[in-house]
Amino acid sequence: MSSVLKTQEDRVIELNEWEQRWEENKIGFHQPQVHRMLESKLDKVLAGRKEVRFFFPLCGKAVDMKWLADMGHSVVGVEISEKAIQQFFVENNLTYSEEAVPGLPGAKIFKNSEKNISLYNCDLYSFTSSIAGQFGAIWDRGSLVAINPRDREKYASLIISLMANDCRYLLSTLMYNPELYKGPPFVVPGEQVYALFGERCNAEQLLSENVTEDKHRARGIDNLIEQLYLITPKMN
């Protein structure tokens, strides 16, 4: 595992670089349709529950949020780009209110009360359970793979702190040869998923699929594997 991670371990993307990508519409990571792995494994996440509170770290303008809200679930997301949040509401024909977040200087919350969607415009690491509580489900697609590799332990601690006792955390990761592409998205080996979450949670791999497309080959990635994990808190 260490040799795979070493190539990318010092890569750093600053928050303003992500904001710039949104401003310049360089958002090849955005998917205009509901993620098929979420669709196919939603029953595993819901586990028979209704009106589940979902958390979306680094949510962008993911259409998955509206899809879940339409089913009666509530959605809380965190995103550094205000433009991404505004585009989400506009492109889904949703009205929204905007207000400051008490106790979080500079942060804003954008809300649609009808669909119960609340998106926080702030740095992910400044977001805590004291702001919005804990969650019954988390959908992580394009978040763990996007953060700076050196921040993964900090990220895992945050995610675990946001998990309610019955939380079901669905995590999508990517594997490819990091010698061929510097990222992001970054490589996250299965061994690291278990290392990051295994002490406090049970982790099970649900899927592993080759998702290589021409756009990946154009970047030099000849073999892109997407892996899906279900992570749940260990009961004390």
Side-chain angles (χ1 to χ4, degrees), residues 6-122:
K6 195 155 188 63
T7 311
Q8 295 178 335
E9 67 183 357
D10 295 325
R11 283 278 287 143
V12 174
I13 308 293
E14 302 293 348
L15 290 180
N16 61 353
E17 293 180 60
W18 287 111
E19 291 181 277
Q20 192 67 27
R21 289 182 188 210
W22 279 99
E23 289 301 325
E24 297 174 359
N25 206 37
K26 293 179 178 175
I27 52 169
F29 46 82
H30 173 70
Q31 292 189 345
Q33 65 284 322
V34 174
H35 195 287
R36 57 191 177 73
M37 285 187 172
L38 172 64
E39 218 168 358
S40 71
K41 297 300 180 184
L42 183 62
D43 287 351
K44 279 259 193 194
V45 180
L46 296 180
R49 300 173 297 165
K50 300 196 183 306
E51 298 180 358
V52 175
R53 290 189 81 225
F54 272 83
F55 179 60
F56 277 66
L58 308 186
C59 62
K61 58 176 181 178
V63 298
D64 308 5
M65 296 190 287
K66 168 91 166 23
W67 183 68
L68 289 166
D70 283 343
M71 293 180 202
H73 307 296
S74 58
V75 170
V76 172
V78 172
E79 170 58 48
I80 194 62
S81 168
E82 184 173 328
K83 182 175 183 179
I85 292 173
Q86 291 172 336
Q87 284 183 353
F88 168 78
F89 288 110
V90 171
E91 290 173 10
N92 288 288
N93 298 309
L94 296 170
T95 57
Y96 63 90
S97 63
E98 175 186 337
E99 56 193 66
V101 181
L104 207 54
K108 297 181 197 170
I109 178 171
F110 295 77
K111 283 191 215 179
N112 175 277
S113 300
E114 182 196 349
K115 289 291 182 188
N116 211 348
I117 299 172
S118 301
L119 305 184
Y120 288 80
N121 177 214
C122 64

